[in-house]
Amino acid sequence: MSTTHSPADSAPTVAELEEEGDIAADFIEGLLDIADVDGDLALDVRNGRAYVSVEADNPASLALLSDPDTVQAVQELTRLTVQNQTGRFSRLILDIGGSRDARQQELARLVDRAVARLDDGASQASLPAMSSYERKLVHDIVAERGFVSESYGEGADRHTVIRRA
């Protein structure tokens, strides 16, 4: 059973996000079975998004799947599956083996290197293109460091530029 959520509507309801998580979990379980990988799934709703986490007793069993590029690709496939079944755009977030925490730490290091360039006299520092979710994390990290940031570009070329406040 799916409900249509038009773009003109407000944010998706918790029930809609839980439905997204359930659909995503079924899809990911199928992928894990195909790959013959043991993993436990946890579903959550946070900040207006469905979150699906894949964990394992033996983290090494998820090593290949937790590569950031692989997580991004599986997340996009999962979002497409959810959208196909619900008729709604999905902003679902997938974490495999702690990959999101690892990526957030990597983004923090990128921001710190950019801030160092500003401290060395640069008027601004550009970061590489990244997903909207990663840009949001960068904006939060930049604000915590006392700087300002803006996103520029279109589509896959959209990137963040950091300046002094």
Side-chain angles (χ1 to χ4, degrees):
M1 170 171 123
S2 68
T3 56
T4 303
H5 190 86
S6 73
D9 292 342
S10 60
T13 66
V14 170
E16 289 171 332
L17 293 171
E18 288 172 343
E19 178 187 22
E20 283 188 26
D22 289 339
I23 293 168
D26 289 344
F27 176 74
I28 293 167
E29 282 177 350
L31 287 178
L32 292 175
D33 286 345
I34 290 168
D36 196 28
V37 172
D38 289 326
D40 297 317
L41 297 173
L43 308 177
D44 195 8
V45 172
R46 289 183 267 163
N47 303 319
R49 293 179 185 237
Y51 280 73
V52 179
S53 298
V54 181
E55 298 297 331
D57 290 335
N58 176 10
S61 67
L62 297 176
L64 290 175
L65 291 176
S66 63
D67 172 79
D69 291 334
T70 303
V71 172
Q72 187 67 29
V74 173
Q75 177 177 278
E76 290 306 314
L77 288 172
T78 305
R79 285 179 174 177
L80 288 172
T81 300
V82 168
Q83 288 171 201
N84 186 44
Q85 291 189 34
T86 64
R88 296 184 309 266
F89 176 75
S90 173
R91 295 175 53 224
L92 176 132
I93 298 295
L94 175 63
D95 178 53
I96 300 176
S99 60
R100 291 290 168 189
D101 287 340
R103 180 62 176 153
Q104 186 161 358
Q105 291 170 3
E106 184 179 330
L107 292 172
R109 286 189 297 274
L110 275 174
V111 168
D112 289 340
R113 286 196 298 270
V115 166
R117 290 194 307 267
L118 296 175
D119 288 343
D120 288 342
S123 61
Q124 65 182 29
S126 294
L127 299 181
M130 55 188 71
S131 72
S132 62
Y133 177 75
E134 290 174 329
R135 286 192 314 276
K136 190 226 178 288
L137 292 176
V138 164
H139 291 306
D140 292 346
I141 295 166
V142 167
E144 288 173 6
R145 305 284 196 275
F147 291 81
V148 295
S149 58
E150 292 182 66
S151 293
Y152 294 95
E154 298 295 326
D157 293 327
R158 195 145 172 91
H159 64 282
T160 306
V161 176
I162 302 170
R163 294 183 182 84
R164 293 198 172 280

